[in-house]
Amino acid sequence: MSERFEAAGADARWQAEWEARGTFHADDNSNQPKSYVLEMFPYPSGRIHMGHVRNYTMGDVLARFRRMRGMEVLHPMGWDAFGMPAENAAMEKGVHPGDWTRANIAAMRAELKRLGFALDWSRELATCEPDYYGHEQALFLDFLEAGLVYRKESAVNWDPVDMTVLANEQVIDGRGWRSGALVERRKLSQWFLKITQFGDDLLEGLQGLQHWPDKVKLMQANWIGRSKGLRFKFALERPSTSLGTNGLSNIPFVSSDVETRFSDVEVFTTRPDTIFGASFVAISVDHPLAQALKDSTAGLPEFIEQCRKTGTAAAEIETAEKLGFDTGLKATHPLDPSWQLPVFVANFVLMEYGTGAVFGVPAHDQRDLDFARKYMLPVTRVVASSPEEKDKPVHDEADTDPGLIVNSRFLDGMTSEDAKGAVIARAEAEGWGEGTTVFRLRDWGVSRQRYWGTPIPIIHCDGCGPVGVPRDQLPVVLPEDVSFDIPGNPLDRHPTWKHVDCPKCGAPARRETDTLDTFADSSWYFIRFASQPKDRPFDRAVAEQWLPVGQYIGGVEHAILHLLYARFWTRALQHIGALNVAEPFTGLFTQGMVTHETYKDAVGNWLSPAEVSNSVVTATGEPVTVGRVEKMSKSKKNTVDPGPIVDRYGADAVRWFMLSDSPPERDLPWSEAGIEGAGRLVQRLWRATAPGEGAGGADLDLDRKLHRTIDGVATDIEALSFNKAVAKLYELIGAIEKAKPSASRDTASRTLIRLAAPMVPHIAEEAWARIGGEGLVADAEWPAVDPALLIDDEVTIAIQVNGKLRDTIQAPKGSSREELEALARANAKVLAILAGAEPKKVIAVPDRLVNLVA
RNA sequence: GCGGACGUGGCGGAACGGUAGACGCUAGCGACUUAAAAUCGCUUUCCUUCGGGAGUGCGGGUUCGAGUCCCGCCGUCCGCACCA
C-alpha cells in the first residue's frame, strides 16, 4: 500500500472506470427523482481556463452529491460552437472555421475529462453541427409560422470592424461588444424575434424565480424596463407669423405635404399628472417630423448634424448640453385649445424609446428644466408636497417626487397617482390619447452577416417574398468551400450556394445569406440536452421529464443577454404549444471569477506568474511591481493554465482548491500557496481514510463530530456553500487524526470517504477500493445522519455581566433557566465583579448564555 | 445621475440578534531527521503593569446583548444610463 496518493495513475484509471461503466449516463426511464444540473456550456476557444474549472467543479459536486442522495441526475456538456473567433482564426491563419472549432473542441474535451467531471458525455452536442442547428432552423420556422418572427427594414447597429449587425444588448457604450469599434447606424432588412410580445411575462416571471440571485432579477427587470403611462397627441399648426425663440423669425413655408402628414405629434409620458405643467414639446432628431422638416427649414439640417456628432460615450452624455431647435410649429394643449406650446427638435430625445417625442414639464423633470432654463421657457410647479406650497419656486433642481397636484385646474388637490388616472380616463374618453405600457426592451434582431452561424432557413423570391425553406429540405447546411481573404459575408459571395428556386412558385430565387445570432444557439441547448431525437428538435415528453433545469451555474456576465433570450425562447416554445415549460432555469447561481495578482517589470510590461518568484523576475532577479488582484486575462498575463496544474497536483487538488476558502459567488484568488495547500489536503485525506486496525470501543465525541459533519456538509452542498463544506471536512479530518483508535474512529474514517467523494472523487474511489468498499463510491449512498448524535449532552454556556463575556461554564444540555442562573450567580468571576450587589435583571437563554445586568 | 451589492486579523474567509476571528493560507518557534523534503506539535487581531482592556469602515440609535437590525456618512465593486 503506497504511503502517498499518486494522482497521476489513479485519476486516469478511475475516469476510465466511470466511462466504461457508464456511471454518469442519465436514464430517461429512471424511476428515481430527477435532477438537472447544468453549467453554462463553453465556447470552444481552444483551451479551458480556470473559470471553466471553477464553474464545472461546482456543478459537478452538486451532481455527484445528488446522485449519492438517490437522484437520477442529468449533467451534460456541449459546445457553444458558432461565433466570430472561428472566422477571425480563418482570416488570420487560413484555417477553416469548422476545422478550427472541431480541433478546439477535441482539445478542450480532453482537458475537461482529465478533471473527472461526472458528465453524461453521450449527450454531448456542438451547436455548429447540422444535427443541432438544423433543428434550430425548424424552430425558427415554427416561430415564423406562429408570427413570432418578422422582417423589418430598420436602423441597425453596424459594427464596421466585424462587419455585422449587433443587437442592442451587444452595444456597450456605443461600441461593439466584441470588436470595441464605434458602432454606426445603418438601414438594413433584418429578421426579428418578438421578444417584446413576452415583455410582461418575462418581467412578471421573475417574481417566481425564488432561487435566482436578486441582483440578476433586478438587472433583467431594469433591462425590460416596463413603464406605464399615457400616449397622447398634440395637434400641430403653423402660426402665420412665426416667432422662434431662437431668433429665427423667417421660417420658410412648410410644404402642405408635411402639414398633411404631420397634423399632430404623439408623445409618451409616465407623468400624465403633470400635463398642466407642460411648456414645450420636443422631438428626436430622428423623428420622421424632424426629417420631413429638414429640407424646408433653414438651419435644421445643420442642427441635426451637430447633434449626431455628440458621442454616445457615457461621459459625453453625462456632460452634454441640452440643445434644441425651435421648429416654429405650435402644439395645441389637448386640455386647452387656446394653449400653444413651441415644438423643438432636441438632442436629448431618443427615437428608440416611446414615440420619439416628449412634452416638457420643467418643474418636475431635470432634463426638461435644464432645457427650459436654456431656452427661457416657463417653469410652472404642478406638484407640491402640500397645497400651501403651490407657488414654491423651482430652482436648479426639478422636483420629481409625487405629491399633490396644484395649478392644474380640474386636477387640483388630487394625488399624483389619482391625477394620472384622471388624465388617462379623460384622454381616452375624448379620444386624444390612451393609457399604455412602454418597454425599454426591444425586439431581438437576430440577423448576422456572418458565415459561422446557423443559416436562416429562408428563400427570397421576387414574386412570393421571403419563403420558409420546406421542412424536408432542412437542415440548410453551410457550404464548406468558402474563403475569408476579404471582409464581409462569405455566404453572400459564394458562387452557387444562395441560388435556389422558390419553393412556392419555382422561379429563380435567393437564399437568405444572413445567419442567426449565436445567442439563438444557446437559447435552447439545455432542451436538446434533455432530449435529442434525430428527426426533431426534442421529444416533448422526455424533455419535460428533465426540465426545467434545477440548478444552472455560470458567470454573471450572462445575467441579461443569454438568460433573457433563453427565457424568451422557452416561453415562445410554450406559446406555440411545443413544450410546457415557462421558465427554463428554476435555480440560478452566478459564480465569481478566478483572479490572480498582476505583475509588472521595471519598464511597466506585464509579467506572467510563471516568470515571477518572490517578487523578482526569476530569470534576471530584477524587482517586480506586484499589482492588484484581477480577473485572469491574457492582456495582463495573469492567467494560470489548468493543464500543467493538473499534471503536477492531480485533478482532486485542483477541484479542492476551487471549492475552498472563497464563497462561490465571490472572486477566488488563485495562488501557488493555495494549490500547495490543496495538494497537502489530498494526502491528509489519504492518511485519514486508511483502513482501521479493528480497534474496539466507542468515541462518542467523534461520533457526534461525524454526524454533525454528515449533516452540515449536505446542507452546505445543497446551498452551494462549498467553502463551508470544505471547512467542515477539514474539522472532521482533524478530529480523526487526533482520535485514539476505536471502532468509532474506523467508522468515521470510512464514512469520510463518502463525504469527500463529490469534491475529490478520484482519491475517494481509490480509498474506497482500499477499504474494500462495494462497487464505486460514486454509486454509494450518502451516509445517513443519526439525529440523536446531532445533540450534545453537555453545552458551553457563556456567562455575561452587562453583556460582556466574563466566563464560560459547562452545563448539561437542556438545563433550565433557573439552573443556569444559579450556576452564573455562583461563578467566581461573577461574584468578584458584582461584589455583593444584586443584579437588576437576569437573562438566561437555555444552552446559550446567562447575562446578568447589574 | 439611477439602481444594487459589499466593507471582519498579514491574506481568503467563519459566525439562528447570544462566547467574533471556525477552517485554510502565510509567518514564527519546536519535534523527528546526518540533512532536506514530508509529517507532527505550539504560536499568529491589537494593547497590556499579565489583573485585564480595546476591537468587525466612520458617527448615531434600538436591545439585557449588535459584525448581524434601523438612520446618516465614507469607501470599494457591479449593472444601467438623456428611457420621458
Side-chain angles (χ1 to χ4, degrees):
Chain A
M1 182 191 311
S2 96
E3 285 293 306
R4 287 177 59 81
F5 170 71
E6 299 295 343
D11 285 4
R13 205 165 61 245
W14 290 110
Q15 286 158 17
E17 186 69 25
W18 296 325
E19 186 147 346
R21 295 195 187 203
T23 303
F24 304 118
H25 283 207
D27 181 3
D28 291 340
N29 301 313
S30 167
N31 293 322
Q32 305 290 92
K34 292 194 168 64
S35 172
Y36 191 169
V37 177
L38 182 69
E39 300 96 54
M40 292 179 185
F41 67 163
Y43 177 79
S45 58
R47 307 204 62 87
I48 63 165
H49 53 67
M50 284 297 178
H52 292 128
V53 177
R54 192 180 191 200
N55 191 177
Y56 303 144
T57 300
M58 289 182 191
D60 200 57
V61 172
L62 187 65
R64 285 175 177 272
F65 171 72
R66 287 188 175 170
R67 269 180 51 79
M68 291 179 78
R69 296 276 278 221
M71 303 185 92
E72 188 67 31
V73 174
L74 172 57
H75 186 218
M77 180 54 68
W79 311 95
D80 188 13
F82 274 137
M84 281 294 298
E87 288 192 56
N88 291 339
M91 283 183 264
E92 285 159 24
K93 299 174 196 152
V95 56
H96 190 278
D99 295 341
W100 183 84
T101 303
R102 290 180 193 107
N104 286 348
I105 289 173
M108 290 175 73
R109 184 195 298 117
E111 287 192 278
L112 285 184
K113 287 197 172 185
R114 294 193 55 208
L115 284 151
F117 294 133
L119 293 162
D120 182 351
W121 285 102
S122 71
R123 295 175 188 246
E124 180 184 2
L125 59 81
T127 58
C128 66
E129 304 301 347
D131 63 8
Y132 183 83
Y133 70 69
H135 297 303
E136 187 168 308
Q137 291 167 337
L139 293 176
F140 182 88
L141 293 174
D142 290 342
F143 290 161
L144 181 68
E145 283 160 18
L148 296 174
V149 178
Y150 65 96
R151 189 169 169 80
K152 180 175 79 170
E153 166 101 354
S154 75
V156 296
N157 306 301
W158 179 259
D159 185 321
V161 169
D162 283 348
M163 296 197 40
T164 188
V165 166
L166 300 175
N168 291 316
E169 288 86 339
Q170 294 164 338
V171 180
I172 295 147
D173 286 344
R175 292 175 181 272
W177 71 304
R178 283 204 69 258
S179 70
L182 276 175
V183 167
E184 298 167 4
R185 306 289 291 167
R186 283 205 184 177
K187 284 233 164 188
L188 284 178
S189 273
Q190 301 287 306
W191 290 101
F192 286 85
L193 294 187
K194 274 195 194 167
I195 190 169
T196 55
Q197 184 175 320
F198 298 84
D200 284 312
D201 286 346
L202 290 170
L203 183 66
E204 280 152 23
L206 292 172
Q207 286 167 14
L209 296 173
Q210 272 128 33
H211 302 289
W212 275 43
D214 289 339
K215 174 189 169 155
V216 173
K217 287 191 275 189
L218 193 68
M219 281 164 71
Q220 291 218 351
N222 289 341
W223 191 265
I224 293 165
R226 180 167 71 182
S227 298
K228 293 188 173 178
L230 172 68
R231 184 201 290 267
F232 69 99
K233 287 177 177 167
F234 283 98
L236 288 180
E237 62 179 276
R238 173 169 295 278
S240 47
T241 53
S242 301
L243 290 170
T245 53
N246 57 0
L248 296 170
S249 54
N250 55 343
I251 290 170
F253 173 71
V254 179
S255 74
S256 58
D257 175 43
V258 173
E259 284 187 338
T260 48
R261 277 173 59 206
F262 297 101
S263 59
D264 52 45
V265 61
E266 193 170 37
V267 303
F268 172 76
T269 180
T270 55
R271 294 294 301 271
D273 54 316
T274 64
I275 195 163
F276 287 107
S279 55
F280 63 94
V281 171
I283 63 173
S284 166
V285 293
D286 296 314
H287 195 280
L289 173 58
Q291 295 301 311
L293 288 168
K294 204 158 72 170
D295 296 335
S296 55
T297 310
L300 185 54
E302 291 78 5
F303 177 79
I304 291 172
E305 192 52 36
Q306 186 192 349
C307 293
R308 290 247 163 84
K309 275 191 199 140
T310 312
T312 44
E316 282 184 80
I317 288 169
E318 187 73 22
T319 54
E321 198 181 358
K322 304 282 176 282
L323 295 175
F325 180 95
D326 190 342
T327 61
L329 294 174
K330 295 293 172 196
T332 307
H333 197 287
L335 289 166
D336 183 351
S338 68
W339 186 357
Q340 294 207 314
L341 302 168
V343 179
F344 286 83
V345 178
N347 66 344
F348 66 92
V349 183
L350 303 174
M351 192 58 222
E352 301 84 48
Y353 184 78
T355 62
V358 299
F359 75 103
V361 184
H364 306 290
D365 181 283
Q366 193 59 45
R367 289 160 310 189
D368 295 348
L369 182 61
D370 295 344
F371 191 82
R373 295 292 187 221
K374 182 168 169 78
Y375 295 102
M376 291 177 292
L377 300 162
V379 178
T380 312
R381 176 182 287 278
V382 289
V383 181
S385 48
S386 69
E388 294 71 45
E389 301 204 334
K390 75 187 191 68
D391 296 318
K392 187 180 168 191
V394 175
H395 298 290
D396 294 336
E397 265 186 50
D399 179 1
T400 54
D401 296 333
L404 289 173
I405 305 300
V406 294
N407 303 322
S408 294
R409 308 183 195 186
F410 74 97
L411 299 175
D412 281 353
M414 290 187 195
T415 63
S416 291
E417 208 46 46
D418 291 345
K420 283 177 189 177
V423 173
I424 290 170
R426 180 136 169 194
E428 288 176 350
E430 294 174 359
W432 48 269
E434 57 174 358
T436 45
T437 302
V438 163
F439 290 92
R440 180 188 181 281
L441 181 70
R442 264 156 273 147
D443 278 336
W444 177 15
V446 291
S447 299
R448 295 292 181 276
Q449 292 66 46
R450 304 276 19 133
Y451 166 75
W452 196 233
T454 300
I456 296 175
I458 294 288
I459 292 165
H460 295 282
C461 170
D462 288 336
C464 310
V467 181
V469 171
R471 307 283 177 146
D472 58 9
Q473 291 173 29
L474 295 181
V476 177
V477 178
L478 288 168
E480 287 288 314
D481 51 332
V482 285
S483 64
F484 294 90
D485 41 1
I486 45 174
N489 182 355
L491 289 179
D492 197 36
R493 60 174 186 262
H494 189 279
T496 56
W497 186 76
K498 70 177 173 183
H499 302 295
V500 288
D501 292 339
C502 172
K504 254 192 196 164
C505 69
R510 298 167 315 283
R511 271 194 201 289
E512 171 71 60
T513 59
D514 286 352
T515 51
L516 286 174
D517 182 1
T518 57
F519 278 104
D521 310 335
S522 53
S523 289
W524 72 285
Y525 76 106
F526 46 90
I527 306 172
R528 182 77 185 162
F529 271 146
S531 164
Q532 34 192 288
K534 282 226 172 313
D535 59 339
R536 56 201 193 280
F538 52 85
D539 181 277
R540 177 175 174 167
V542 175
E544 285 174 2
Q545 280 189 52
W546 291 109
L547 289 163
V549 174
Q551 185 62 61
Y552 196 33
I553 309 178
V556 73
E557 67 273 18
H558 294 110
I560 297 172
L561 300 183
H562 161 58
L563 289 168
L564 191 61
Y565 292 144
R567 293 182 63 221
F568 155 69
W569 198 285
T570 306
R571 278 175 189 274
L573 288 173
Q574 186 187 45
H575 179 77
I576 65 174
L579 183 71
N580 190 26
V581 175
E583 290 291 342
F585 318 113
T586 44
L588 173 70
F589 187 83
T590 55
Q591 101 266 11
M593 296 178 297
V594 182
T595 59
H596 197 290
E597 275 184 336
T598 49
Y599 308 104
K600 278 187 177 177
D601 65 15
V603 208
N605 295 316
W606 297 106
L607 293 166
S608 72
E611 299 170 284
V612 175
S613 50
N614 297 321
S615 297
V616 297
V617 181
T618 314
T620 63
E622 285 173 40
V624 167
T625 312
V626 179
R628 38 186 293 184
V629 175
E630 292 191 64
K631 178 186 180 175
M632 285 189 180
S633 74
K634 279 184 196 152
S635 64
K636 288 176 181 158
K637 284 200 177 178
N638 63 337
T639 56
V640 174
D641 185 3
I645 304 287
V646 176
D647 290 341
R648 186 159 164 204
Y649 297 95
D652 289 339
V654 178
R655 295 169 60 110
W656 187 260
F657 182 94
M658 289 294 152
L659 300 167
S660 305
D661 296 347
S662 288
E665 68 279 7
R666 283 201 221 166
D667 290 350
L668 172 69
W670 176 270
S671 71
E672 196 67 26
I675 185 67
E676 298 258 355
R680 278 198 294 276
L681 172 280
V682 171
Q683 299 305 335
R684 255 178 101 184
L685 192 63
W686 185 240
R687 293 189 295 271
T689 55
E693 285 146 38
D699 179 341
L700 193 55
D701 284 344
L702 188 59
D703 291 344
R704 288 202 174 105
K705 185 79 191 169
L706 174 64
H707 282 264
R708 272 201 303 268
T709 306
I710 297 170
D711 187 51
V713 168
T715 307
D716 289 339
I717 290 178
E718 268 303 330
L720 307 180
S721 298
F722 304 111
N723 57 322
K724 295 189 211 167
V726 160
K728 289 188 174 82
L729 287 176
Y730 267 116
E731 285 191 58
L732 178 61
I733 293 166
I736 290 172
E737 287 168 345
K738 287 190 179 70
K740 296 197 172 61
S742 67
S744 295
R745 189 182 185 280
D746 290 353
T747 301
S749 170
R750 294 169 68 94
T751 308
L752 172 61
I753 299 171
R754 282 184 284 166
L755 297 180
M759 302 184 184
V760 283
H762 307 88
I763 189 177
E765 293 292 0
E766 195 80 0
W768 188 251
R770 182 168 60 166
I771 63 160
E774 194 187 327
L776 297 179
V777 73
D779 290 322
E781 263 183 54
W782 186 257
V785 177
D786 178 354
L789 289 170
L790 295 178
I791 302 160
D792 288 314
D793 49 13
E794 198 169 59
V795 291
T796 306
I797 302 292
I799 305 296
Q800 298 180 338
V801 176
N802 293 330
K804 278 198 194 301
L805 182 71
R806 294 299 169 179
D807 203 1
T808 58
I809 56 168
Q810 294 299 116
K813 171 93 179 171
S815 299
S816 70
R817 286 192 169 83
E818 292 70 26
E819 287 164 334
L820 292 176
E821 183 175 338
L823 287 168
R825 283 176 182 274
N827 184 273
K829 294 192 180 173
V830 169
L831 289 173
I833 291 167
L834 291 180
E838 174 64 14
K840 284 184 218 150
K841 193 173 174 185
V842 179
I843 288 105
V845 182
D847 299 335
R848 281 275 172 204
L849 56 73
V850 181
N851 185 13
L852 298 111
V853 184

